[in-house]
Amino acid sequence: MTCLHDRHIEPLLFAGLNGQNWKLADYMARGGFEAIRRIVRERTEKEKIISEVEASALRGRGGAAFPTATKWRFMPQEAGIQKYLICNADEGEPGTFKDRDILRHNPHAVIEGMLIAAYAMGISVGYIYIHGEIWEQYVRFEEAIKEAYAARVLGKNLFDSDFSFELSAVHGYGAYICGEETALIESMEGKRGQPRLRPPFPATSGLYGQPTMVNNVETLAYLPFILQMGGKAFRDRGRSDGGGGMKIFSVSGDVHKPGNYEVPLGIPFTTLLAAAGGMRGGKKLKAVIPGGISTPVVPAAIMMDTDMDYAGLAKAGSSLGTGAVIVLNETRCMVATLVKLSHFYSEESCGQCTPCREGVGWLYRIVRTIAEGSAREGDIEMLESVARSLQGATVCGLGQAATLPVLSFLSHFRDEFVRHMVGTGSRIAAENRT
């Protein structure tokens, strides 16, 4: 867990944290729960809070990047109906590991963020759904919830008001598909984790058929800072016109110092790469997957001139996604890399819809035969055709996400696939078997 001080801008979520000072007393010493305390005691209007979030330009940090305030406005405002707030901590995409560090180092920021969101939308019950493979973080968050109840910052009539909020943690079982908000809701209801057809959307009919808001860990954790400093001040910390503030990038791959970097949104990729210690072993950069494996790969020549924000990465032909930056050096075989990515998607498809169940597995099998040097003439074209036919044909975004690496790898590194077609894949086949 690392912070980059850019333009003398201090980090927010990770400022001064050392892995030990995560408890409630530590958080309160840093000004924790002051934002929600002031909001409740002053009986702040709900629309005023939503407008402040709107001014911050905060967008969903889980990958969809939908404007947070706009999403909140989809929730019905009538009193007397049961509404739910869910923190989506089902972080299961390869290369993405920011949320687990927030839960480990600053869990009470997430709790306060949920309180602020709940107050703004008139919600009295919340849940956090934590990925099944990060048990340590689940245990820590349960401890944080107990601390918050003991200090009466969770529960009934908070801060001597009529505002109440009950929060519980739910442990997932490691299914990647449950990161999709409706599959997550199905799982919470005790059903198989499969995405729902939409409409209706969760804001209309979500958990137990009631209006439900689902936000990412990072999205919620920034809310206390936004309400303390003001939306404009938060937005101005970033350099991006399309969404401001700070952003946590999970940098992994062929760098000297992989880790989480909390930086102003919109910094140049070269600055982020330098903060991560540059390329490991003195190798040259070949390509970057800039937002998690669901985002298209970007070659080095383009990436070195790209800013890390929504507009910059869109211009580069990719997207910000979750902020998981996977750095690939010049020795990486792009065919072997795509085998691993495609295998992940084929394993994680929930199997509900035929295009995804059959098509994603088909993509993996074709890429594997190319890597092994046993593909037939026309298989590259078939791979491309299957990927394009999957786009827009599945119940949720997993099928679409599985096509983006395939099409971008073929677009930028087609020559490597062609070379494998003439029998140069035996080394790759051996690597995959090990």
Side-chain angles (χ1 to χ4, degrees), residues 184-244:
L184 182 154
I185 291 170
E186 288 285 288
S187 175
M188 285 184 61
E189 292 180 350
K191 305 170 188 173
R192 184 172 181 174
Q194 293 183 327
R196 296 176 179 177
L197 290 171
R198 291 176 287 185
F201 292 90
T204 303
S205 178
L207 186 65
Y208 309 126
Q210 298 298 116
T212 303
M213 178 54 55
V214 183
N215 287 138
N216 175 255
V217 172
E218 186 183 353
T219 309
L220 291 164
Y222 274 126
L223 293 176
F225 301 97
I226 290 169
L227 271 294
Q228 280 281 58
M229 68 175 56
K232 185 179 182 301
F234 178 82
R235 184 193 66 211
D236 290 347
R237 281 175 166 250
R239 300 176 172 182
S240 171
D241 292 333

Short mmCIF file of all heavy atoms in Angstrom, two decimals, residues 184-244:
data_model
loop_
_atom_site.label_atom_id
_atom_site.label_comp_id
_atom_site.label_asym_id
_atom_site.label_seq_id
_atom_site.Cartn_x
_atom_site.Cartn_y
_atom_site.Cartn_z
N LEU A 184 -24.86 -10.39 -7.33
CA LEU A 184 -24.55 -10.22 -5.91
C LEU A 184 -25.84 -10.26 -5.08
O LEU A 184 -25.90 -10.92 -4.03
CB LEU A 184 -23.83 -8.89 -5.72
CG LEU A 184 -23.36 -8.47 -4.33
CD1 LEU A 184 -22.17 -7.51 -4.45
CD2 LEU A 184 -24.46 -7.77 -3.54
N ILE A 185 -26.87 -9.58 -5.56
CA ILE A 185 -28.15 -9.57 -4.84
C ILE A 185 -28.75 -10.97 -4.80
O ILE A 185 -29.26 -11.41 -3.76
CB ILE A 185 -29.11 -8.56 -5.49
CG1 ILE A 185 -28.62 -7.13 -5.24
CG2 ILE A 185 -30.53 -8.74 -4.98
CD1 ILE A 185 -29.35 -6.06 -6.03
N GLU A 186 -28.69 -11.68 -5.92
CA GLU A 186 -29.20 -13.06 -5.95
C GLU A 186 -28.48 -13.91 -4.92
O GLU A 186 -29.09 -14.70 -4.19
CB GLU A 186 -29.02 -13.66 -7.34
CG GLU A 186 -29.94 -13.11 -8.41
CD GLU A 186 -31.35 -13.65 -8.27
OE1 GLU A 186 -31.56 -14.85 -8.58
OE2 GLU A 186 -32.24 -12.89 -7.87
N SER A 187 -27.15 -13.76 -4.83
CA SER A 187 -26.36 -14.52 -3.87
C SER A 187 -26.77 -14.17 -2.44
O SER A 187 -26.90 -15.06 -1.59
CB SER A 187 -24.86 -14.23 -4.09
OG SER A 187 -24.08 -14.85 -3.10
N MET A 188 -26.98 -12.89 -2.17
CA MET A 188 -27.39 -12.48 -0.82
C MET A 188 -28.74 -13.06 -0.43
O MET A 188 -29.01 -13.30 0.75
CB MET A 188 -27.43 -10.95 -0.73
CG MET A 188 -26.05 -10.32 -0.66
SD MET A 188 -26.14 -8.52 -0.45
CE MET A 188 -27.00 -8.40 1.11
N GLU A 189 -29.59 -13.30 -1.41
CA GLU A 189 -30.90 -13.88 -1.15
C GLU A 189 -30.86 -15.40 -1.02
O GLU A 189 -31.90 -16.03 -0.85
CB GLU A 189 -31.88 -13.48 -2.24
CG GLU A 189 -32.22 -12.00 -2.24
CD GLU A 189 -33.20 -11.59 -3.33
OE1 GLU A 189 -33.49 -12.44 -4.22
OE2 GLU A 189 -33.69 -10.46 -3.30
N GLY A 190 -29.65 -15.96 -1.10
CA GLY A 190 -29.50 -17.41 -0.95
C GLY A 190 -29.68 -18.19 -2.22
O GLY A 190 -29.78 -19.41 -2.19
N LYS A 191 -29.67 -17.50 -3.35
CA LYS A 191 -29.85 -18.16 -4.64
C LYS A 191 -28.50 -18.32 -5.33
O LYS A 191 -27.48 -17.81 -4.88
CB LYS A 191 -30.80 -17.35 -5.53
CG LYS A 191 -32.15 -17.05 -4.90
CD LYS A 191 -32.91 -16.05 -5.73
CE LYS A 191 -34.17 -15.58 -5.04
NZ LYS A 191 -34.83 -14.48 -5.77
N ARG A 192 -28.53 -19.01 -6.45
CA ARG A 192 -27.32 -19.13 -7.25
C ARG A 192 -26.94 -17.75 -7.78
O ARG A 192 -27.81 -16.98 -8.22
CB ARG A 192 -27.57 -20.08 -8.43
CG ARG A 192 -26.33 -20.34 -9.26
CD ARG A 192 -26.60 -21.44 -10.27
NE ARG A 192 -25.43 -21.73 -11.06
CZ ARG A 192 -25.35 -22.72 -11.94
NH1 ARG A 192 -26.40 -23.51 -12.13
NH2 ARG A 192 -24.25 -22.93 -12.63
N GLY A 193 -25.66 -17.41 -7.73
CA GLY A 193 -25.20 -16.09 -8.15
C GLY A 193 -25.24 -15.93 -9.65
O GLY A 193 -24.23 -16.16 -10.32
N GLN A 194 -26.37 -15.52 -10.18
CA GLN A 194 -26.52 -15.28 -11.61
C GLN A 194 -27.16 -13.92 -11.83
O GLN A 194 -28.09 -13.54 -11.11
CB GLN A 194 -27.39 -16.37 -12.26
CG GLN A 194 -26.74 -17.74 -12.27
CD GLN A 194 -27.61 -18.77 -12.99
OE1 GLN A 194 -28.83 -18.71 -12.96
NE2 GLN A 194 -26.96 -19.72 -13.65
N PRO A 195 -26.71 -13.18 -12.84
CA PRO A 195 -27.29 -11.85 -13.10
C PRO A 195 -28.77 -11.92 -13.47
O PRO A 195 -29.22 -12.90 -14.06
CB PRO A 195 -26.46 -11.34 -14.29
CG PRO A 195 -25.18 -12.12 -14.22
CD PRO A 195 -25.56 -13.47 -13.72
N ARG A 196 -29.49 -10.88 -13.10
CA ARG A 196 -30.89 -10.76 -13.45
C ARG A 196 -31.06 -10.03 -14.78
O ARG A 196 -30.22 -9.21 -15.16
CB ARG A 196 -31.64 -9.98 -12.37
CG ARG A 196 -31.68 -10.64 -11.02
CD ARG A 196 -32.36 -9.72 -10.00
NE ARG A 196 -32.44 -10.34 -8.67
CZ ARG A 196 -32.94 -9.73 -7.61
NH1 ARG A 196 -33.40 -8.49 -7.70
NH2 ARG A 196 -32.99 -10.36 -6.44
N LEU A 197 -32.16 -10.31 -15.45
CA LEU A 197 -32.53 -9.51 -16.61
C LEU A 197 -32.98 -8.14 -16.12
O LEU A 197 -33.65 -8.03 -15.10
CB LEU A 197 -33.65 -10.19 -17.38
CG LEU A 197 -33.28 -11.48 -18.13
CD1 LEU A 197 -34.53 -12.16 -18.66
CD2 LEU A 197 -32.31 -11.18 -19.27
N ARG A 198 -32.60 -7.10 -16.86
CA ARG A 198 -32.99 -5.75 -16.48
C ARG A 198 -33.61 -5.04 -17.68
O ARG A 198 -33.11 -5.24 -18.81
CB ARG A 198 -31.78 -4.97 -15.96
CG ARG A 198 -31.28 -5.47 -14.63
CD ARG A 198 -30.04 -4.77 -14.15
NE ARG A 198 -28.85 -5.16 -14.90
CZ ARG A 198 -27.61 -4.77 -14.62
NH1 ARG A 198 -27.39 -3.97 -13.60
NH2 ARG A 198 -26.61 -5.17 -15.35
N PRO A 199 -34.68 -4.21 -17.47
CA PRO A 199 -35.29 -3.84 -16.20
C PRO A 199 -36.11 -4.99 -15.61
O PRO A 199 -36.38 -5.94 -16.32
CB PRO A 199 -36.17 -2.65 -16.59
CG PRO A 199 -36.51 -2.88 -18.03
CD PRO A 199 -35.30 -3.56 -18.62
N PRO A 200 -36.48 -4.85 -14.28
CA PRO A 200 -36.25 -3.68 -13.42
C PRO A 200 -34.82 -3.62 -12.92
O PRO A 200 -34.16 -4.65 -12.76
CB PRO A 200 -37.23 -3.91 -12.27
CG PRO A 200 -37.34 -5.40 -12.17
CD PRO A 200 -37.27 -5.91 -13.59
N PHE A 201 -34.37 -2.41 -12.65
CA PHE A 201 -33.04 -2.19 -12.10
C PHE A 201 -33.11 -2.23 -10.56
O PHE A 201 -34.19 -2.04 -9.98
CB PHE A 201 -32.49 -0.84 -12.58
CG PHE A 201 -32.21 -0.82 -14.06
CD1 PHE A 201 -33.18 -0.42 -14.96
CD2 PHE A 201 -30.97 -1.22 -14.54
CE1 PHE A 201 -32.93 -0.41 -16.32
CE2 PHE A 201 -30.70 -1.23 -15.90
CZ PHE A 201 -31.69 -0.81 -16.80
N PRO A 202 -31.97 -2.47 -9.90
CA PRO A 202 -31.99 -2.59 -8.44
C PRO A 202 -32.60 -1.39 -7.72
O PRO A 202 -33.22 -1.55 -6.67
CB PRO A 202 -30.50 -2.75 -8.09
CG PRO A 202 -29.92 -3.42 -9.29
CD PRO A 202 -30.64 -2.82 -10.45
N ALA A 203 -32.43 -0.17 -8.27
CA ALA A 203 -33.01 1.01 -7.62
C ALA A 203 -34.53 0.93 -7.55
O ALA A 203 -35.16 1.58 -6.72
CB ALA A 203 -32.58 2.28 -8.33
N THR A 204 -35.12 0.11 -8.42
CA THR A 204 -36.57 -0.10 -8.41
C THR A 204 -36.94 -1.37 -7.67
O THR A 204 -37.82 -1.38 -6.80
CB THR A 204 -37.11 -0.18 -9.85
OG1 THR A 204 -36.76 1.02 -10.54
CG2 THR A 204 -38.62 -0.36 -9.85
N SER A 205 -36.24 -2.45 -8.01
CA SER A 205 -36.52 -3.75 -7.38
C SER A 205 -35.20 -4.50 -7.24
O SER A 205 -34.70 -5.10 -8.19
CB SER A 205 -37.51 -4.57 -8.24
OG SER A 205 -37.74 -5.83 -7.66
N GLY A 206 -34.65 -4.45 -6.03
CA GLY A 206 -33.35 -5.07 -5.79
C GLY A 206 -33.44 -6.17 -4.75
O GLY A 206 -34.13 -7.17 -4.95
N LEU A 207 -32.76 -5.99 -3.63
CA LEU A 207 -32.73 -7.00 -2.57
C LEU A 207 -34.14 -7.21 -2.01
O LEU A 207 -34.79 -6.24 -1.60
CB LEU A 207 -31.76 -6.55 -1.48
CG LEU A 207 -31.50 -7.56 -0.34
CD1 LEU A 207 -30.80 -8.81 -0.86
CD2 LEU A 207 -30.67 -6.90 0.77
N TYR A 208 -34.58 -8.44 -2.02
CA TYR A 208 -35.92 -8.82 -1.53
C TYR A 208 -37.03 -8.02 -2.22
O TYR A 208 -38.08 -7.75 -1.64
CB TYR A 208 -36.02 -8.65 -0.01
CG TYR A 208 -34.90 -9.32 0.75
CD1 TYR A 208 -34.12 -8.62 1.65
CD2 TYR A 208 -34.61 -10.68 0.54
CE1 TYR A 208 -33.08 -9.23 2.32
CE2 TYR A 208 -33.57 -11.30 1.21
CZ TYR A 208 -32.80 -10.58 2.10
OH TYR A 208 -31.76 -11.19 2.77
N GLY A 209 -36.76 -7.61 -3.47
CA GLY A 209 -37.76 -6.89 -4.24
C GLY A 209 -37.91 -5.43 -3.87
O GLY A 209 -38.80 -4.75 -4.38
N GLN A 210 -37.01 -4.91 -3.01
CA GLN A 210 -37.10 -3.53 -2.55
C GLN A 210 -36.05 -2.66 -3.25
O GLN A 210 -35.03 -3.15 -3.74
CB GLN A 210 -36.89 -3.48 -1.04
CG GLN A 210 -37.92 -4.24 -0.23
CD GLN A 210 -39.33 -3.70 -0.43
OE1 GLN A 210 -40.20 -4.40 -0.95
NE2 GLN A 210 -39.55 -2.46 -0.04
N PRO A 211 -36.28 -1.34 -3.28
CA PRO A 211 -35.28 -0.44 -3.87
C PRO A 211 -33.92 -0.61 -3.20
O PRO A 211 -33.82 -0.58 -1.97
CB PRO A 211 -35.87 0.95 -3.61
CG PRO A 211 -37.35 0.72 -3.48
CD PRO A 211 -37.47 -0.63 -2.82
N THR A 212 -32.89 -0.76 -4.01
CA THR A 212 -31.56 -1.08 -3.49
C THR A 212 -30.49 -0.29 -4.25
O THR A 212 -30.52 -0.22 -5.48
CB THR A 212 -31.27 -2.59 -3.63
OG1 THR A 212 -32.29 -3.33 -2.95
CG2 THR A 212 -29.91 -2.95 -3.05
N MET A 213 -29.56 0.28 -3.51
CA MET A 213 -28.43 0.97 -4.11
C MET A 213 -27.16 0.16 -3.86
O MET A 213 -26.88 -0.23 -2.72
CB MET A 213 -28.27 2.37 -3.50
CG MET A 213 -27.08 3.17 -4.04
SD MET A 213 -27.03 3.33 -5.84
CE MET A 213 -28.64 4.05 -6.18
N VAL A 214 -26.40 -0.10 -4.92
CA VAL A 214 -25.14 -0.85 -4.82
C VAL A 214 -24.00 0.07 -5.24
O VAL A 214 -24.00 0.59 -6.36
CB VAL A 214 -25.15 -2.11 -5.70
CG1 VAL A 214 -23.86 -2.91 -5.50
CG2 VAL A 214 -26.37 -2.98 -5.40
N ASN A 215 -23.05 0.31 -4.33
CA ASN A 215 -21.88 1.12 -4.61
C ASN A 215 -20.61 0.37 -4.25
O ASN A 215 -20.61 -0.47 -3.35
CB ASN A 215 -21.90 2.44 -3.84
CG ASN A 215 -22.91 3.44 -4.37
OD1 ASN A 215 -23.60 4.08 -3.59
ND2 ASN A 215 -23.03 3.60 -5.67
N ASN A 216 -19.53 0.70 -4.93
CA ASN A 216 -18.23 0.07 -4.70
C ASN A 216 -17.56 0.59 -3.42
O ASN A 216 -17.87 1.67 -2.93
CB ASN A 216 -17.33 0.34 -5.91
CG ASN A 216 -15.91 -0.16 -5.73
OD1 ASN A 216 -15.00 0.63 -5.52
ND2 ASN A 216 -15.73 -1.46 -5.80
N VAL A 217 -16.63 -0.18 -2.87
CA VAL A 217 -15.89 0.18 -1.65
C VAL A 217 -15.22 1.54 -1.79
O VAL A 217 -15.39 2.42 -0.94
CB VAL A 217 -14.83 -0.90 -1.33
CG1 VAL A 217 -13.92 -0.45 -0.20
CG2 VAL A 217 -15.49 -2.22 -0.98
N GLU A 218 -14.45 1.72 -2.84
CA GLU A 218 -13.70 2.97 -3.01
C GLU A 218 -14.64 4.15 -3.17
O GLU A 218 -14.39 5.23 -2.63
CB GLU A 218 -12.77 2.86 -4.23
CG GLU A 218 -11.86 4.07 -4.39
CD GLU A 218 -10.99 3.99 -5.64
OE1 GLU A 218 -10.98 2.95 -6.32
OE2 GLU A 218 -10.31 4.99 -5.94
N THR A 219 -15.73 3.96 -3.90
CA THR A 219 -16.72 5.03 -4.08
C THR A 219 -17.23 5.51 -2.73
O THR A 219 -17.25 6.72 -2.45
CB THR A 219 -17.91 4.52 -4.92
OG1 THR A 219 -17.43 3.90 -6.11
CG2 THR A 219 -18.86 5.64 -5.27
N LEU A 220 -17.64 4.58 -1.88
CA LEU A 220 -18.20 4.94 -0.58
C LEU A 220 -17.14 5.51 0.36
O LEU A 220 -17.41 6.44 1.13
CB LEU A 220 -18.85 3.71 0.06
CG LEU A 220 -20.13 3.22 -0.64
CD1 LEU A 220 -20.47 1.80 -0.21
CD2 LEU A 220 -21.29 4.16 -0.35
N ALA A 221 -15.93 4.99 0.29
CA ALA A 221 -14.88 5.42 1.22
C ALA A 221 -14.46 6.86 1.00
O ALA A 221 -13.96 7.51 1.94
CB ALA A 221 -13.67 4.50 1.11
N TYR A 222 -14.65 7.40 -0.20
CA TYR A 222 -14.28 8.80 -0.45
C TYR A 222 -15.35 9.78 0.01
O TYR A 222 -15.08 10.99 0.11
CB TYR A 222 -13.99 9.02 -1.94
CG TYR A 222 -12.56 8.70 -2.32
CD1 TYR A 222 -12.27 7.81 -3.35
CD2 TYR A 222 -11.49 9.30 -1.65
CE1 TYR A 222 -10.96 7.51 -3.69
CE2 TYR A 222 -10.18 9.00 -1.98
CZ TYR A 222 -9.92 8.12 -3.00
OH TYR A 222 -8.61 7.83 -3.33
N LEU A 223 -16.56 9.32 0.32
CA LEU A 223 -17.64 10.23 0.68
C LEU A 223 -17.34 11.09 1.92
O LEU A 223 -17.64 12.30 1.92
CB LEU A 223 -18.94 9.46 0.87
CG LEU A 223 -19.53 8.83 -0.39
CD1 LEU A 223 -20.77 8.02 -0.05
CD2 LEU A 223 -19.88 9.90 -1.43
N PRO A 224 -16.78 10.53 3.01
CA PRO A 224 -16.49 11.40 4.16
C PRO A 224 -15.57 12.56 3.81
O PRO A 224 -15.74 13.68 4.32
CB PRO A 224 -15.83 10.44 5.16
CG PRO A 224 -16.35 9.09 4.79
CD PRO A 224 -16.47 9.12 3.30
N PHE A 225 -14.59 12.33 2.94
CA PHE A 225 -13.66 13.38 2.56
C PHE A 225 -14.36 14.42 1.69
O PHE A 225 -14.11 15.63 1.83
CB PHE A 225 -12.47 12.77 1.82
CG PHE A 225 -11.71 11.76 2.64
CD1 PHE A 225 -11.97 10.40 2.49
CD2 PHE A 225 -10.77 12.17 3.57
CE1 PHE A 225 -11.29 9.47 3.26
CE2 PHE A 225 -10.08 11.24 4.34
CZ PHE A 225 -10.35 9.89 4.19
N ILE A 226 -15.25 13.97 0.80
CA ILE A 226 -15.98 14.89 -0.05
C ILE A 226 -16.87 15.81 0.78
O ILE A 226 -16.93 17.02 0.56
CB ILE A 226 -16.82 14.10 -1.08
CG1 ILE A 226 -15.90 13.43 -2.11
CG2 ILE A 226 -17.83 15.00 -1.79
CD1 ILE A 226 -16.60 12.43 -3.00
N LEU A 227 -17.55 15.24 1.77
CA LEU A 227 -18.44 16.04 2.61
C LEU A 227 -17.68 16.95 3.57
O LEU A 227 -18.18 18.00 3.97
CB LEU A 227 -19.41 15.14 3.37
CG LEU A 227 -20.73 14.81 2.65
CD1 LEU A 227 -21.58 16.07 2.48
CD2 LEU A 227 -20.53 14.14 1.29
N GLN A 228 -16.45 16.55 3.92
CA GLN A 228 -15.65 17.39 4.81
C GLN A 228 -15.02 18.56 4.05
O GLN A 228 -15.09 19.70 4.50
CB GLN A 228 -14.53 16.57 5.46
CG GLN A 228 -14.97 15.72 6.64
CD GLN A 228 -15.12 16.52 7.93
OE1 GLN A 228 -15.88 17.48 7.98
NE2 GLN A 228 -14.41 16.11 8.96
N MET A 229 -14.43 18.29 2.90
CA MET A 229 -13.69 19.34 2.18
C MET A 229 -14.54 20.08 1.15
O MET A 229 -14.17 21.15 0.69
CB MET A 229 -12.46 18.74 1.50
CG MET A 229 -12.77 17.80 0.35
SD MET A 229 -11.27 17.25 -0.52
CE MET A 229 -10.31 16.53 0.79
N GLY A 230 -15.69 19.49 0.78
CA GLY A 230 -16.52 20.07 -0.26
C GLY A 230 -16.27 19.38 -1.60
O GLY A 230 -15.14 18.99 -1.91
N GLY A 231 -17.33 19.26 -2.38
CA GLY A 231 -17.23 18.54 -3.64
C GLY A 231 -16.24 19.15 -4.61
O GLY A 231 -15.45 18.45 -5.24
N LYS A 232 -16.24 20.47 -4.73
CA LYS A 232 -15.34 21.12 -5.69
C LYS A 232 -13.88 20.92 -5.29
O LYS A 232 -13.02 20.67 -6.16
CB LYS A 232 -15.65 22.61 -5.77
CG LYS A 232 -14.82 23.34 -6.84
CD LYS A 232 -15.18 24.81 -6.89
CE LYS A 232 -14.39 25.50 -7.99
NZ LYS A 232 -12.92 25.39 -7.80
N ALA A 233 -13.58 21.01 -4.00
CA ALA A 233 -12.21 20.83 -3.54
C ALA A 233 -11.72 19.42 -3.85
O ALA A 233 -10.56 19.22 -4.23
CB ALA A 233 -12.11 21.12 -2.05
N PHE A 234 -12.60 18.43 -3.68
CA PHE A 234 -12.23 17.06 -4.02
C PHE A 234 -11.98 16.93 -5.52
O PHE A 234 -10.98 16.35 -5.95
CB PHE A 234 -13.32 16.10 -3.58
CG PHE A 234 -13.05 14.65 -3.92
CD1 PHE A 234 -12.24 13.87 -3.11
CD2 PHE A 234 -13.60 14.07 -5.05
CE1 PHE A 234 -11.97 12.55 -3.41
CE2 PHE A 234 -13.34 12.75 -5.37
CZ PHE A 234 -12.53 11.99 -4.55
N ARG A 235 -12.91 17.45 -6.31
CA ARG A 235 -12.78 17.35 -7.77
C ARG A 235 -11.48 17.99 -8.24
O ARG A 235 -10.78 17.45 -9.11
CB ARG A 235 -13.96 18.05 -8.44
CG ARG A 235 -13.97 17.93 -9.97
CD ARG A 235 -14.96 18.89 -10.58
NE ARG A 235 -14.54 20.27 -10.36
CZ ARG A 235 -15.37 21.29 -10.22
NH1 ARG A 235 -16.67 21.11 -10.22
NH2 ARG A 235 -14.89 22.52 -10.06
N ASP A 236 -11.12 19.14 -7.65
CA ASP A 236 -9.94 19.87 -8.10
C ASP A 236 -8.63 19.19 -7.75
O ASP A 236 -7.57 19.59 -8.24
CB ASP A 236 -9.96 21.29 -7.52
CG ASP A 236 -11.04 22.16 -8.14
OD1 ASP A 236 -11.61 21.75 -9.17
OD2 ASP A 236 -11.33 23.24 -7.57
N ARG A 237 -8.68 18.16 -6.92
CA ARG A 237 -7.47 17.39 -6.65
C ARG A 237 -7.04 16.59 -7.88
O ARG A 237 -5.88 16.21 -8.00
CB ARG A 237 -7.68 16.43 -5.48
CG ARG A 237 -7.60 17.12 -4.12
CD ARG A 237 -7.92 16.17 -2.99
NE ARG A 237 -7.51 16.76 -1.72
CZ ARG A 237 -6.49 16.34 -0.98
NH1 ARG A 237 -5.79 15.31 -1.38
NH2 ARG A 237 -6.19 16.92 0.16
N GLY A 238 -7.98 16.29 -8.75
CA GLY A 238 -7.66 15.55 -9.97
C GLY A 238 -7.42 16.48 -11.14
O GLY A 238 -7.62 17.69 -11.05
N ARG A 239 -7.02 15.89 -12.23
CA ARG A 239 -6.72 16.67 -13.43
C ARG A 239 -7.72 16.41 -14.55
O ARG A 239 -7.53 16.85 -15.67
CB ARG A 239 -5.33 16.30 -13.95
CG ARG A 239 -4.21 16.56 -12.98
CD ARG A 239 -2.90 16.05 -13.57
NE ARG A 239 -1.75 16.45 -12.76
CZ ARG A 239 -0.50 16.16 -13.08
NH1 ARG A 239 -0.25 15.49 -14.17
NH2 ARG A 239 0.49 16.55 -12.30
N SER A 240 -8.76 15.65 -14.24
CA SER A 240 -9.64 15.16 -15.29
C SER A 240 -10.92 15.98 -15.38
O SER A 240 -11.54 16.31 -14.37
CB SER A 240 -10.01 13.69 -15.02
OG SER A 240 -11.01 13.27 -15.90
N ASP A 241 -11.33 16.30 -16.60
CA ASP A 241 -12.60 16.98 -16.81
C ASP A 241 -13.78 16.02 -16.67
O ASP A 241 -14.88 16.42 -16.33
CB ASP A 241 -12.64 17.63 -18.20
CG ASP A 241 -11.65 18.78 -18.31
OD1 ASP A 241 -11.35 19.39 -17.27
OD2 ASP A 241 -11.20 19.05 -19.43
N GLY A 242 -13.55 14.74 -16.96
CA GLY A 242 -14.64 13.77 -16.97
C GLY A 242 -14.93 13.13 -15.62
O GLY A 242 -15.82 12.31 -15.50
N GLY A 243 -14.19 13.49 -14.61
CA GLY A 243 -14.36 12.92 -13.28
C GLY A 243 -13.16 13.28 -12.44
O GLY A 243 -12.03 13.10 -12.88
N GLY A 244 -13.38 13.85 -11.28
CA GLY A 244 -12.26 14.40 -10.54
C GLY A 244 -11.85 13.60 -9.34
O GLY A 244 -12.27 12.47 -9.13
#
